């Protein structure tokens, strides 16, 4: 085995010893269903560059192998595993079901979604192909590496043309989950919310999001804006964490539920060519999927995937497009349950409008900085996302957009 080192995330420079010929031989044998496969050469390198990924650690592998039927065959793989070094990444995934969730998504849920879509003549492919998954000697997921096939991650928020296929994909993802839940697949078992307080693991909301939101509100209070707005956001800050938890955890108030992706942003998707065709788009990272409000992914779509133009000019258009595809997919699948109405959808978005406020603060500023210069490891260690984007909060153009958001949400009762 040889290891190639370039400018990669530092916690991926030293792969664990068990990532060896024997491991990949087992993985490829399982995938190819061929026990005659023997690994001849393995080239292993880090999987991501700084700013590309932040939870698990990833490695890429080029495996050359022989079998009874062929010689010198190659397969390109990407592998996700638990962090092996003490630190923020390990803390984030500690005592969570992240890896078991993603393993189940790749082994069971995504293939079934693609199967039922294919039955109605829809060839949509949702994510990368699973090669192998195991908990021995550590939780690990091995996928086909799509980068040699021309796929790459987005480097900035998507414009109105690019986002069309993303809207289509998340709408079908949600619709398939609702159909499957009514037809024998227990989607409600995806219930491990990072917003829920559990003994033995960090408080995701308080440690990762709230410090940034507090600093953002403090920055807002220095602006030349109406004092009433400053007071409203200040008072809301006192109850924001409690209200956010209630929005995610109190299912009785929910108009309807879907399987949320829950980590839906422009870095968690891949495209090739112009990314405007369904076959040229893949959704990534299913570690935090949960049966919950569709509003979370929709507000992520607007604030974590789309660019400023989407937020300012195409917001309602995107909502309508999503719902038409969501409802249409359920109808084509022959769903026998009650299909949510557009009114249900709008009411759920209104109920969860505080999530949009939170996501704007957390995610939109990052669309105004150079991701290649961001040290995600350092940010997670310090829990200080604001320091990276604090200059954005001094930008008058950004300030105007945030004020416009607050003024739009104010009469909706978002901050009450």
């Amino acid at each position: 085995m040889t290891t190639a080192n370039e400018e990669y995330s530092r916690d991926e420079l030293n792969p664990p010893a068990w990532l060896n010929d024997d491991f990949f031989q087992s993985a490829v044998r399982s995938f190819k269903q061929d026990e005659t496969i023997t690994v001849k050469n393995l080239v292993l390198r880090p999987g991501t560059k700084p700013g590309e990924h932040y939870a698990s650690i990833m490695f890429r592998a080029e495996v050359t192998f022989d079998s009874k039927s062929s010689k010198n065959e190659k397969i390109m793989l990407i592998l996700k595993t638990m962090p092996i070094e003490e630190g923020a990444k390990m803390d984030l995934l500690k005592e969570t079901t992240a890896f078991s969730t993603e393993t189940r998504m790749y082994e069971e849920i995504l293939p079934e979604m693609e199967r039922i879509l294919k039955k109605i003549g829809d060839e949509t492919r949702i994510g990368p192909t699973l090669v192998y998954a195991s908990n021995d000697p550590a939780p690990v997921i091995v996928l086909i590496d799509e980068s040699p096939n021309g796929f790459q991650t987005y480097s900035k928020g998507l414009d109105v043309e690019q986002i069309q296929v993303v809207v289509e994909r998340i709408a079908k993802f949600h619709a398939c989950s609702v159909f499957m839940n009514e037809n024998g697949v227990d989607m409600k078992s995806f219930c491990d919310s990072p917003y829920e307080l559990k003994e033995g693991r960090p408080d995701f909301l308080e440690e990762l999001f709230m410090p940034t939101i507090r600093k953002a509100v403090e920055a807002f209070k220095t602006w030349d804006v109406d004092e009433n707005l400053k007071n409203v956001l200040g008072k809301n800050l006192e109850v924001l964490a409690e209200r956010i938890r209630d929005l995610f955890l109190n299912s009785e108030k929910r108009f309807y539920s879907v399987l949320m992706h829950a980590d839906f942003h422009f870095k968690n998707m891949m495209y090739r060519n112009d990314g405007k065709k369904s076959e040229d788009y893949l959704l990534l990272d299913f570690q935090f999927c949960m049966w919950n409000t569709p509003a979370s992914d929709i507000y992520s779509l607007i604030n974590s995937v789309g660019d400023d133009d989407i937020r300012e000019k195409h917001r309602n258009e995107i909502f309508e497009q999503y719902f038409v595809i969501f409802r249409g997919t359920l109808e084509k699948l022959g769903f026998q349950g009650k299909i949510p109405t557009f009114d249900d959808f709008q009411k759920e978005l209104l109920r969860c409008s505080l999530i949009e406020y939170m996501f704007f603060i957390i995610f939109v500023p990052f669309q105004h900085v150079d991701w290649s210069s961001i040290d995600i490891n350092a940010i997670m260690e310090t829990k200080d996302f604001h320091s990276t984007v604090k200059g954005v909060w001094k930008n008058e153009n950004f300030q105007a957009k945030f004020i416009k958001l607050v003024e739009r949400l104010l009469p909706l009762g978002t901050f009450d």
Side-chain angles (χ1 to χ4, degrees):
M1 178 185 75
T2 58
T3 303
N5 288 338
E6 298 175 31
E7 191 63 38
Y8 291 104
S9 297
R10 65 174 184 267
D11 55 357
E12 298 174 0
L13 295 177
N14 299 302
W18 54 266
L19 283 183
N20 53 28
D21 290 9
D22 289 342
F23 171 84
F24 284 99
Q25 183 167 284
S26 296
V28 179
R29 282 181 174 182
S30 174
F31 180 61
K32 296 285 189 179
Q33 297 186 325
D34 185 349
E35 291 299 316
T36 71
I37 286 174
T38 303
V39 170
K40 290 183 63 179
N41 189 51
L42 170 63
V43 177
L44 197 61
R45 70 182 192 275
T48 61
K49 296 180 180 180
E52 289 184 343
H53 198 72
Y54 62 86
S56 55
I57 58 172
M58 303 178 70
F59 300 93
R60 297 182 190 274
E62 177 184 306
V63 183
T64 305
F65 62 92
D66 290 342
S67 68
K68 186 177 180 179
S69 59
S70 65
K71 301 292 183 184
N72 295 320
E73 194 171 343
K74 287 187 178 181
I75 187 169
M76 308 297 287
L77 306 172
I78 189 159
L79 175 147
K80 299 180 67 172
T81 188
M82 291 284 285
I84 56 178
E85 296 180 0
E86 293 288 340
K89 285 189 178 183
M90 182 177 288
D91 289 342
L92 178 64
L93 297 178
K94 183 180 180 182
E95 302 299 327
T96 73
T97 60
F99 263 83
S100 60
T101 293
E102 187 158 38
T103 298
R104 184 182 173 200
M105 288 298 298
Y106 276 115
E107 288 185 330
E108 175 190 351
I109 304 302
L110 299 184
E112 179 63 10
M113 286 183 172
E114 293 174 2
R115 187 190 71 80
I116 63 175
L117 287 172
K118 191 169 290 188
K119 287 181 66 176
I120 60 171
D122 189 331
E123 298 291 332
T124 294
R125 183 176 166 217
I126 296 174
T129 300
L130 177 69
V131 171
Y132 183 74
S134 176
N135 286 312
D136 184 25
V140 60
I141 297 170
V142 183
L143 307 165
I144 293 293
D145 185 356
E146 296 288 355
S147 56
N149 299 324
F151 282 90
Q152 58 185 311
T153 55
Y154 291 98
S155 59
K156 60 181 180 179
L158 281 61
D159 63 28
V160 68
E161 291 187 27
Q162 292 173 317
I163 207 171
Q164 301 304 311
V165 72
V166 184
V167 175
E168 173 195 337
R169 193 60 44 86
I170 199 64
K172 290 180 179 179
F173 181 85
H174 286 174
C176 285
S177 74
V178 172
F179 178 85
M180 290 164 63
N181 188 63
E182 289 292 314
N183 288 274
V185 182
D186 184 13
M187 291 295 180
K188 294 178 182 178
S189 61
F190 288 95
C191 57
D192 187 21
S193 171
Y195 298 99
E196 184 177 358
L197 294 172
K198 287 190 176 182
E199 186 176 352
R201 76 179 188 190
D203 181 346
F204 175 89
L205 180 59
E206 188 58 48
E207 292 195 20
L208 286 183
F209 282 2
M210 288 306 299
T212 297
I213 296 171
R214 290 188 184 100
K215 290 181 179 179
V217 172
E218 288 305 312
F220 174 76
K221 288 180 178 180
T222 67
W223 299 355
D224 183 18
V225 294
D226 188 285
E227 288 297 321
N228 179 55
L229 289 184
K230 295 180 182 180
N231 292 333
V232 166
L233 295 196
K235 290 181 180 178
N236 173 259
L237 194 58
E238 298 173 6
V239 297
L240 190 146
E242 178 184 349
R243 290 192 56 202
I244 289 294
R245 290 191 213 281
D246 185 65
L247 289 172
F248 279 104
L249 302 178
N250 193 337
S251 61
E252 293 182 359
K253 296 181 180 179
R254 209 174 296 148
F255 283 87
Y256 67 99
S257 301
V258 301
L259 186 68
M260 288 167 37
H261 181 277
D263 197 13
F264 193 47
H265 55 81
F266 70 87
K267 303 295 285 186
N268 273 350
M269 48 194 70
M270 297 185 78
Y271 75 101
R272 65 183 175 190
N273 300 325
D274 56 10
K276 298 174 185 176
K277 296 181 180 179
S278 183
E279 62 267 28
D280 291 324
Y281 172 87
L282 294 171
L283 192 54
L284 307 175
D285 286 358
F286 301 91
Q287 296 180 98
F288 302 109
C289 291
M290 58 180 158
W291 186 252
N292 214 292
T293 175
S296 178
D297 282 347
I298 300 305
Y299 286 138
S300 290
L301 181 66
I302 297 297
N303 294 289
S304 307
V305 179
D307 63 10
D308 285 336
D309 191 55
I310 293 291
R311 284 182 287 278
E312 294 171 17
K313 299 179 182 178
H314 301 283
R315 172 191 175 84
N316 291 334
E317 173 189 333
I318 295 297
F319 290 166
E320 291 171 6
Q321 179 189 354
Y322 160 86
F323 191 79
V324 166
I325 297 171
F326 171 77
R327 183 179 182 88
T329 301
L330 281 172
E331 291 173 342
K332 291 175 184 176
L333 289 170
F335 182 65
Q336 297 298 307
K338 179 184 179 298
I339 298 179
T341 64
F342 189 61
D343 187 54
D344 293 331
F345 173 62
Q346 290 180 306
K347 287 178 179 177
E348 183 63 12
L349 290 182
L350 177 60
R351 185 184 77 89
C352 296
S353 59
L354 193 62
I355 295 176
E356 178 175 24
Y357 168 73
M358 179 176 73
F359 283 0
F360 187 102
I361 290 175
I362 297 296
F363 298 116
V364 172
F366 279 96
Q367 294 189 7
H368 295 265
V369 297
D370 180 5
W371 270 87
S372 65
S373 66
I374 297 173
D375 186 343
I376 290 294
N377 292 309
I379 291 175
M380 292 186 66
E381 290 292 347
T382 61
K383 308 291 193 300
D384 187 3
F385 287 83
H386 185 76
S387 64
T388 304
V389 297
K390 62 183 180 182
V392 178
W393 288 85
K394 298 177 181 179
N395 181 286
E396 291 184 0
N397 185 39
F398 176 82
Q399 290 178 359
K401 293 170 184 173
F402 183 69
I403 293 169
K404 185 176 180 180
L405 169 76
V406 173
E407 290 178 338
R408 176 171 60 78
L409 295 178
L410 194 61
L412 302 180
T414 300
F415 306 108
D416 293 347

